[in-house]
Amino acid sequence: MQGLQHTTSGARLAPPPRLTAAQRLGVLPMPNLAWTPEVERETAHLYEKVKGIIPPVEWPFHAPYVKAINDLKRERNAVILAHNYQTPEIYNCVADVVGDSLQLARLAGKSDADIIIQGGVHFMAETSKLLNPHKTVLIPDSRAGCSLAESITGADVRVLRQRYPGVPVVAYVNTSADVKAEVDICCTSSNAVKVVESLGVDTVIFLPDRFLAANVARQTKVKIIAWHGACEVHERFTAEELQRYRADDPSIEIIAHPECPPEVVEVSDFAGSTAAMIDYVKTRKPRRVLLVTECSMADNVASETQGVEFVRPCNLCPHMKRITLPKILDSLVYLREEVTIDPALAERARRSVQRMIDLK
Ligand code: SF4
């Protein structure tokens, strides 16, 4: 039986208990978190990046954490991955790598850090672990979930396969490792059409986002059987509210994430992944832009882009906002919360992600 060890006499022993990251690497003392002239001086260059978003009166609350986190990252040889929806003080002041979930996991593999801290939600931390199985992956709050990832389980995928025998299954990366282990291939919002068409079949099951599925179906002849999940942030946008912005200012450029309902994408000037949206703003530099996505992203793009006015219909992702500077600091000090995945399940889930990555 897998996982059991044998003695010379043939008796079977249970494997030794797995040590936690804290047991392997040790807990560090909590740093001093006072606002001092030294903290002010050492974080001044970082405040420059966020001064348009974070008022001066708030910086003394963030800066001691920013300094402590950056010091401990070096001591631990850790890297912080921050999704585009993380708050500006995380995205701009402590993150080493920023991007969408797949960019983050892939770039983490190129780093020589021993520890990855995921500024994002749980499925993202799992994807980082899948692609970096030998690194310690920590998420500062394991309750950071996702309405899409939680809409479906691996058992649901097995039922779908029974109902539609022989039909391949494509899973958006916003799914748990348990689901990724049951599907044929993963996709992101930027390569979903390409992935669907790469399978060379006339019908695919696409999960879990029904809106992304509908937006993909508009761009391909492949028949899409969709699961019923939705992102609780993007499903709230409506075409009517975007048309009101357009009526107020006909020159405004509206760019939407494809997790929005199709009628929202229909009235937008452009739809793409968070990475594609950022690229659109930085390349085209519209005078005024409406970002139809989670609201921290507008703050983060604004901090990196001059001369663009951002209009922000503010839909917050409560799961992303569970990640805070104090919790990131706790992760570095206490090495929690460690993300682990059963090796056999990880092997199958990694195959689905790798198949997508290998698709040129
Ligand atoms: S924004 Fe939507 S898809 Fe992204 S983590 Fe939040 S609930 Fe999930």
Side-chain angles (χ1 to χ4, degrees):
M1 186 185 289
Q2 200 178 19
L4 291 180
Q5 297 179 338
H6 295 258
T7 65
T8 47
S9 65
R12 292 188 302 182
L13 298 173
R18 204 185 148 277
L19 296 179
T20 64
Q23 287 167 329
R24 292 194 311 274
L25 303 169
V27 168
L28 293 173
M30 179 59 76
N32 178 8
L33 293 169
W35 167 242
T36 62
E38 184 199 359
V39 170
E40 183 173 12
R41 194 172 55 249
E42 289 195 18
T43 59
H45 65 294
L46 296 170
Y47 186 59
E48 272 302 302
K49 294 164 80 174
V50 291
K51 67 182 183 191
I53 303 155
I54 298 177
V57 71
E58 285 182 19
W59 185 241
F61 294 96
H62 295 306
Y65 285 98
V66 167
K67 176 171 162 33
I69 288 168
N70 286 329
D71 289 347
L72 283 191
K73 266 192 325 192
R74 283 188 285 278
E75 191 168 343
R76 289 287 200 193
N77 191 24
V79 69
I80 296 180
L81 314 184
H83 187 266
N84 296 320
Y85 296 164
Q86 290 291 284
T87 50
E89 67 278 9
I90 294 174
Y91 183 94
N92 291 281
C93 302
V94 299
D96 300 284
V97 183
V98 295
D100 63 25
S101 57
L102 194 67
Q103 284 174 320
L104 295 180
R106 291 172 74 170
L107 290 170
K110 299 200 165 100
S111 137
D112 61 4
D114 299 315
I115 298 172
I116 294 172
I117 297 188
Q118 192 80 35
V121 295
H122 195 263
F123 78 80
M124 296 177 180
E126 281 193 335
T127 308
S128 291
K129 183 67 182 173
L130 290 177
L131 296 180
N132 301 279
H134 304 302
K135 294 186 191 248
T136 297
V137 176
L138 306 172
I139 182 159
D141 187 335
S142 63
R143 296 170 303 164
C146 167
S147 64
L148 273 176
E150 283 153 27
S151 71
I152 188 162
T153 64
D156 292 326
V157 181
R158 291 194 291 275
V159 170
L160 280 170
R161 284 203 187 273
Q162 282 169 5
R163 192 174 302 162
Y164 302 102
V167 178
V169 184
V170 177
Y172 191 25
V173 284
N174 296 35
T175 43
S176 64
D178 179 43
V179 167
K180 288 185 175 83
E182 298 291 339
V183 306
D184 294 282
I185 187 167
C186 289
C187 74
T188 68
S189 51
S190 53
N191 66 13
V193 174
K194 186 172 157 188
V195 168
V196 163
E197 294 186 340
S198 76
L199 298 171
V201 294
D202 56 12
T203 306
V204 302
I205 297 167
F206 189 99
L207 54 88
D209 186 349
R210 67 179 185 273
F211 294 131
L212 181 58
N215 287 318
V216 169
R218 285 157 28 123
Q219 300 172 63
T220 180
K221 290 194 168 63
V222 179
K223 183 180 169 211
I224 306 281
I225 299 167
W227 187 250
H228 53 67
C231 162
E232 66 188 80
V233 173
H234 293 98
E235 72 175 341
R236 296 210 302 268
F237 292 108
T238 65
E240 293 72 38
E241 71 177 304
L242 302 195
Q243 276 156 342
R244 281 198 294 275
Y245 283 107
R246 180 93 75 199
D248 281 349
D249 177 2
S251 73
I252 196 168
E253 292 191 37
I254 301 178
I255 61 178
H257 193 281
E259 288 168 16
C260 294
E263 58 276 18
V264 167
V265 170
E266 181 79 20
V267 299
S268 303
D269 297 299
F270 174 76
S273 64
T274 55
M277 292 169 87
I278 291 172
D279 194 49
Y280 181 100
V281 173
K282 288 186 175 172
T283 310
R284 295 177 55 113
K285 293 237 169 69
R287 182 187 64 80
R288 202 157 179 253
V289 68
L290 174 62
L291 291 187
V292 190
T293 188
E294 211 270 352
C295 56
S296 282
M297 195 170 109
D299 289 336
N300 293 330
V301 190
S303 69
E304 297 171 338
T305 318
Q306 307 305 316
V308 178
E309 184 191 342
F310 289 86
V311 179
R312 309 164 198 203
C314 200
N315 284 358
L316 270 177
C317 174
H319 313 292
M320 287 281 180
K321 272 36 192 187
R322 282 191 182 277
I323 309 300
T324 61
L325 289 177
K327 289 182 192 167
I328 292 174
L329 181 60
D330 278 358
S331 276
L332 281 161
V333 169
Y334 303 111
L335 296 177
R336 66 187 186 209
E337 302 177 35
E338 189 171 5
V339 176
T340 57
I341 306 172
D342 171 77
L345 185 132
E347 181 62 38
R348 288 160 50 221
R350 187 161 37 246
R351 217 176 295 148
S352 306
V353 179
Q354 195 60 48
R355 189 173 173 194
M356 168 188 69
I357 290 172
D358 292 343
L359 199 68
K360 293 287 183 253

